[in-house]
Amino acid sequence: MRLTDAELKNRAQWEEKGYRLPQYDREAMKAATKEKPFWIHFGAGNIFRAFQANVVQNMLNAGTLDRGLIVAEGFDYEIIEKMYRPHDDYTLLVTLKADGNVEKTIVGSLAESCILDSEDDAEFSRLREIFEKDSLQMASFTITEKGYSLVNGKGEMLPAVEADFVAGPAKPASYIGKVVSLLYTRYKAGEKPIAMVSMDNCSHNGDKLYAAVSAFAEKWVKNGLVEPGFATYINDKNKVSFPWSMIDKITPRPDASVEEILKNDGIEELESVVTSKNTYVAPFVNAEECEYLVIEDAFPNGRPQLEKGGLMFTERETVDKVEKMKVCTCLNPLHTTLAVFGCLLGYEKISDEMKDAQLRKMVEIIGYEEGLPVVVNPGILDPKEFIDTVLNVRIPNPFMPDTPQRIATDTSQKLAIRFGETIKAYNASKTLDVADLKLIPLVFAGWLRYLMAIDDNGEAFTLSPDPLLDTVCPHVANVKLGEEADVEQILKPVLADKSIFGVDLYEVGLADKVCGYFRELTAGIGAVRATLKKHVG
């Protein structure tokens, strides 16, 4: 059994093994899509294959769509060359359920896979054809937050971008340059409307995409490389929109245990490919069952009824509330709490931490009791139900091979948003008191204890990457487990740093509490567990 058109003609052998197959005429779908494409997606990674492509598959099965998706990959061409096309653009989606069951689906909703390479005339000409079509309603993106940046980490213009600004839209080298070149094709074809929808997991993602696109348009107009009206077109919301969205679905790297399940079914050629750009890609994608995609409803060329596939459309303000609900209260702070204490207590899987009575109770209190009172209910999703799903379905899912060590990456960059916003809301409230926060300060103290790189058994461990390690670690470098130390003096520079916590912990009255917890956490071997028992119960 192989993932190809020829092998899938024998539907019975797949269905006997429990595989869900496309319930539509795939060749007719491909022909209709080529004639009237409505949705092209940039970024051929696992989130696209597990989420957007499956949404369209379900709608094709239900008969609410008769056309499929087109995908374009602009960073790692080998994903298309070595994985998509050899498998006739099929994906094997394995949904890993919290109850231990797996759901196996052959996703065939992709009508065409393209390579965003301006040096390849055939590939780029095909993309230009798609962008000239009246029917095209949206171009969406999962290219990571870094994909929208025109500068490097030092703020210097990327060489490819700099060259593209001078060379113009004929054969750009940079990712965004190629996308804007396609938009210019659409402009020249009659200023046709389109929605440019970032679906990346970053705040106000539509603004990031707009900033990059408009920078190109303005520079090309200024340099006389495109018609003056192009910049006006990009800035006309009735022609080109850049909606905000919030996406949430965990799609880990292809897992060996999942591969084994599929091999036992008799499926061949499942091996992952590691591309020259170090992308891990396999014929199958494993993903959790929960998924959320909330999109600002700003589509100047209309859109299909994707809400029938589970996507949610609303106004920009609501997207913002949903994002803050997730990032500041209902998911990300709970993940960070488990990451910090999981590293200290020697856990290697986040899901296993939910079997730990103290850790489970800790995230329940932080979510329901400390965080929920300041959440603005977005209406489209209920915050309590969201936390219920996070704590009872998503994080405990044993199939999700996520580690506290991975989630602990860049914690110094996360604390201000994941906890600082809650503290600010308490501080501004007439009915809530910052002094009532008991466990958020314990997370701060736990992170400072984590920076010592010594676990609760007294064993050294490796800290996860973080840009501030060289800044913050020296403050705790001389603290020894079980030895007296002037904690207030040691921690003061860190606790007063608003860039880390979002607030000055002295100004909001939490510094003493953090110092007290830190003293308890460093009392000796086993002190982390003892502190959790004392303050969490």
Side-chain angles (χ1 to χ4, degrees):
M1 296 166 68
R2 294 181 179 84
L3 202 59
T4 62
D5 274 324
E7 292 280 322
L8 282 160
K9 284 177 181 173
N10 184 354
R11 295 174 67 89
Q13 67 173 342
W14 293 85
E15 289 169 343
E16 284 168 8
K17 301 283 187 179
Y19 288 82
R20 299 181 175 196
L21 302 182
Q23 301 297 311
Y24 47 89
D25 183 332
R26 193 166 185 244
E27 290 309 309
M29 177 274 289
K30 285 183 178 182
T33 307
K34 186 165 187 176
E35 178 63 28
K36 290 187 175 181
F38 74 95
W39 182 358
I40 184 168
H41 183 87
F42 292 90
N46 288 342
I47 184 70
F48 164 74
R49 299 164 75 197
F51 198 167
Q52 291 91 339
N54 194 44
V55 164
V56 172
Q57 162 112 332
N58 291 335
M59 292 181 69
L60 284 163
N61 284 342
T64 51
L65 274 179
D66 64 351
R67 291 168 293 164
L69 276 158
I70 297 170
V71 74
E73 175 58 37
F75 171 71
D76 193 338
Y77 306 154
E78 291 177 52
I79 295 173
I80 302 296
E81 295 164 344
K82 294 184 176 179
M83 195 53 61
Y84 274 75
R85 291 175 179 171
H87 294 100
D88 295 329
D89 290 335
Y90 284 106
T91 287
L92 203 172
L93 170 60
V94 182
T95 303
L96 309 170
K97 302 203 168 188
D99 63 6
N101 289 316
V102 298
E103 189 176 273
K104 301 170 292 189
T105 306
I106 305 298
V107 179
S109 60
L110 196 61
E112 190 175 358
S113 58
C114 303
I115 293 173
L116 183 64
D117 181 4
S118 61
E119 294 296 325
D120 187 320
D121 290 338
E123 294 284 351
F124 212 60
S125 293
R126 175 59 190 141
L127 287 165
R128 290 199 190 282
E129 284 177 12
I130 293 166
F131 268 77
E132 287 172 342
K133 294 279 189 177
D134 291 349
S135 59
L136 188 64
Q137 295 173 316
M138 63 189 287
S140 59
F141 299 79
T142 49
I143 60 174
T144 76
E145 185 171 4
K146 186 179 179 182
Y148 306 105
S149 182
L150 307 184
V151 297
N152 63 20
K154 297 178 181 178
E156 302 160 339
M157 189 72 68
L158 293 170
V161 171
E162 203 162 20
D164 288 349
F165 279 172
V166 175
K171 287 194 172 184
S174 66
Y175 202 124
I176 296 296
K178 288 180 276 191
V179 169
V180 181
S181 175
L182 295 174
L183 273 175
Y184 187 55
T185 297
R186 190 163 183 79
Y187 164 79
K188 290 183 73 178
E191 299 186 31
K192 294 174 181 177
I194 189 171
M196 304 291 286
V197 190
S198 170
M199 295 179 176
D200 273 297
N201 188 18
C202 54
S203 180
H204 302 172
N205 45 20
D207 287 355
K208 290 180 169 61
L209 177 55
Y210 166 74
V213 169
S214 63
F216 264 91
E218 288 170 14
K219 189 66 74 171
W220 283 349
V221 167
K222 183 181 177 182
N223 291 342
L225 299 165
V226 296
E227 295 175 14
F230 182 51
T232 307
Y233 168 72
I234 295 297
N235 285 288
D236 184 346
K237 293 179 181 178
N238 294 314
K239 295 286 180 66
V240 184
S241 66
F242 296 86
W244 291 4
S245 72
M246 189 288 291
I247 192 168
D248 187 15
K249 185 177 181 74
I250 299 172
T251 53
R253 181 181 289 178
D255 190 74
S257 64
V258 174
E259 185 177 333
E260 198 60 32
I261 292 171
L262 303 179
K263 279 183 178 176
N264 289 337
D265 285 342
I267 299 181
E268 302 168 63
E269 299 175 359
L270 286 168
E271 294 74 20
S272 297
V273 170
V274 182
T275 70
S276 58
K277 291 196 173 182
N278 209 36
T279 305
Y280 285 72
V281 63
F284 67 93
V285 177
N286 38 241
E288 66 169 339
E289 59 194 297
C290 294
E291 58 189 27
Y292 304 90
L293 181 49
V294 182
I295 306 173
E296 178 188 353
D297 202 355
F299 289 77
N301 201 27
R303 62 171 177 81
Q305 292 181 295
L306 294 171
E307 53 267 55
K308 290 184 177 179
L311 306 191
M312 290 168 271
F313 293 88
T314 185
E315 66 280 351
R316 175 169 287 202
E317 292 74 17
T318 301
V319 177
D320 196 36
K321 289 174 185 175
V322 170
E323 184 197 328
K324 286 177 178 172
M325 177 195 81
K326 172 200 164 193
V327 174
C328 302
T329 307
C330 298
L331 173 61
N332 297 30
L334 313 183
H335 250 160
T336 291
T337 300
L338 293 171
V340 168
F341 284 94
C343 291
L344 288 170
L345 294 172
Y347 281 100
E348 294 182 355
K349 286 181 72 175
I350 286 285
S351 57
D352 287 341
E353 291 187 66
M354 294 303 285
K355 300 171 189 172
D356 185 308
Q358 274 98 36
L359 293 181
R360 183 179 183 96
K361 188 174 180 183
M362 186 178 193
V363 290
E364 287 174 346
I365 292 171
I366 289 173
Y368 293 119
E369 297 180 24
E370 298 191 351
L372 206 52
V374 300
V375 172
V376 176
N377 190 330
I380 200 167
L381 286 172
D382 180 80
K384 183 183 178 301
E385 290 178 7
F386 194 93
I387 298 179
D388 288 344
T389 303
V390 166
L391 294 180
N392 298 319
V393 178
R394 302 183 70 184
I395 297 178
N397 189 335
F399 275 121
M400 286 293 105
D402 224 340
T403 67
Q405 292 74 21
R406 185 191 75 82
I407 296 171
T409 301
D410 299 337
T411 299
S412 72
Q413 309 299 293
K414 300 170 179 175
L415 296 172
I417 298 296
R418 299 187 178 190
F419 300 99
E421 293 302 310
T422 295
I423 295 170
K424 288 177 188 176
Y426 268 76
N427 214 27
S429 173
K430 294 179 181 177
T431 57
L432 298 169
D433 188 347
V434 173
D436 291 334
L437 294 173
K438 299 291 193 293
L439 297 190
I440 287 177
L442 181 54
V443 177
F444 293 164
W447 176 63
L448 293 164
R449 168 69 180 80
Y450 159 88
L451 293 174
M452 293 169 60
I454 301 290
D455 67 18
D456 203 30
N457 292 322
E459 301 291 331
F461 67 88
T462 302
L463 296 175
S464 300
D466 189 309
L468 286 190
L469 289 183
D470 290 343
T471 303
V472 291
C473 288
H475 291 287
V476 297
N478 295 321
V479 177
K480 307 295 181 189
L481 295 183
E483 294 183 11
E484 288 287 325
D486 188 348
V487 170
E488 286 79 4
Q489 193 64 30
I490 290 168
L491 299 182
K492 189 170 184 177
V494 183
L495 301 184
D497 193 335
K498 291 183 180 180
S499 70
I500 294 178
F501 300 105
V503 293
D504 180 331
L505 294 178
Y506 288 93
E507 290 178 0
V508 297
L510 290 176
D512 287 346
K513 194 174 287 186
V514 175
C515 288
Y517 285 144
F518 184 78
R519 198 174 287 108
E520 292 180 39
L521 291 167
T522 56
I525 290 173
V528 174
R529 177 62 70 186
T531 304
L532 288 174
K533 285 182 178 177
K534 176 180 176 182
H535 296 287
V536 178

